[in-house]
Amino acid sequence: MDAGLERLADVDHLATDGHVEVYEDVHRGLRDALTALDARPGPPAPVRHPTITPR
């Protein structure tokens, strides 16, 4: 995230036509970071024990 914010600061030094490249680069980095979070295994799901019903 910090690298993306630093990269966005680059637009201050670019002509307007250079902004798109920076925005696309930051967007790609954010998308990759979110994809990596989705791929990371989370904690195991809780195990449900069957309930016993009286007969």
Side-chain angles (χ1 to χ4, degrees):
M1 298 301 288
D2 291 335
L5 289 174
E6 289 176 20
R7 181 76 170 115
L8 283 176
D10 291 345
V11 299
D12 292 340
H13 310 290
L14 297 173
T16 304
D17 61 349
H19 291 192
V20 172
E21 181 182 340
V22 173
Y23 294 152
E24 288 176 349
D25 185 38
V26 171
H27 181 259
R28 187 173 25 261
L30 291 172
R31 187 179 58 232
D32 291 347
L34 290 172
T35 299
L37 288 174
D38 285 344
R40 185 184 309 164
V47 177
R48 292 186 58 195
H49 298 286
T51 58
I52 300 174
T53 55
R55 293 183 187 205

